[in-house]
């Protein structure tokens, strides 16, 4: 297994980035972009998924990384709830809604698996190497 040296190499971060890109397209092309408070919440929660993965990676410790992955998972589920609200208000089409909810579910599952893996490993992190 290859060593991950940058957070950008993490598949889950790459998926979160793609999710943000899809949302940005919706903000620019649908009524969602005109609903500032909802689109602002969605922009912040989707960005938080990416940013918490990156910040946790940068902490260089297993326990801190797991904590930040947990924050990322929470933000992912917050976004999923916001997608339900957006769809219920008729701001996004059903196909976009389903695709984005599925993306949230996939990212959330990957984050959960990653947290579980890190919980089982003896590796404590780069900052604990001697």
């Amino acid at each position: 297994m290859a060593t991950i040296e940058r957070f950008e190499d993490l598949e889950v971060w790459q998926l979160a980035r793609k999710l943000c890109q899809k949302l940005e397209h919706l903000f620019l092309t649908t009524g969602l972009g005109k609903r500032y408070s909802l689109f602002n919440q969605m922009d912040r929660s989707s960005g938080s998924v990416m940013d918490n993965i990156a910040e946790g990676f940068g902490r260089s410790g297993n326990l801190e990384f797991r904590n930040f992955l947990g924050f990322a998972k929470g933000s992912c589920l917050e976004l999923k709830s916001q997608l339900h609200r957006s769809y219920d208000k008729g701001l996004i089409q059903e196909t976009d809604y389903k695709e984005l909810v599925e993306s949230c579910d996939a990212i959330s599952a990957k984050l959960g698996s990653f947290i579980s893996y890190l919980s089982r490993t003896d590796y404590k992190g780069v900052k604990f190497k001697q």
Side-chain angles (χ1 to χ4, degrees):
M1 181 198 302
T3 301
I4 302 290
E5 296 186 16
R6 305 171 334 132
F7 69 84
E8 294 96 331
D9 296 330
L10 294 169
E11 179 188 11
V12 71
W13 183 86
Q14 294 168 6
L15 293 172
R17 182 179 182 194
K18 286 179 184 171
L19 178 62
C20 285
Q21 292 168 342
K22 290 176 191 173
L23 282 168
E24 184 65 24
H25 176 73
L26 288 181
F27 298 154
L28 296 172
T29 61
T30 69
L32 186 56
K34 293 179 178 30
R35 299 289 298 266
Y36 177 75
S37 108
L38 182 56
F39 116 68
N40 186 32
Q41 281 183 315
M42 293 173 78
D43 188 44
R44 286 184 288 119
S45 59
S46 64
S48 181
V49 178
M50 287 176 62
D51 298 344
N52 277 301
I53 295 167
E55 185 171 354
F57 185 89
R59 297 293 178 119
S60 301
N62 183 323
L63 182 59
E64 288 175 294
F65 194 15
R66 284 186 284 153
N67 286 337
F68 278 90
L69 292 174
F71 300 148
K73 186 172 179 170
S75 293
C76 191
L77 295 176
E78 177 184 3
L79 175 61
K80 183 178 175 182
S81 179
Q82 294 159 350
L83 288 165
H84 291 309
R85 290 172 39 211
S86 299
Y87 178 70
D88 292 346
K89 294 175 185 289
L91 299 171
I92 57 176
Q93 297 295 315
E94 184 174 10
T95 54
D96 292 323
Y97 163 73
K98 286 182 177 180
E99 177 185 353
L100 292 166
V101 165
E102 286 175 12
S103 292
C104 286
D105 287 341
I107 291 167
S108 180
K110 285 188 180 293
L111 287 166
S113 294
F114 199 6
I115 292 166
S116 179
Y117 165 76
L118 291 174
S119 297
R120 292 188 314 270
T121 186
D122 291 331
Y123 182 69
K124 301 295 180 211
V126 173
K127 70 181 182 180
F128 296 102
K129 279 187 173 180
Q130 294 193 24

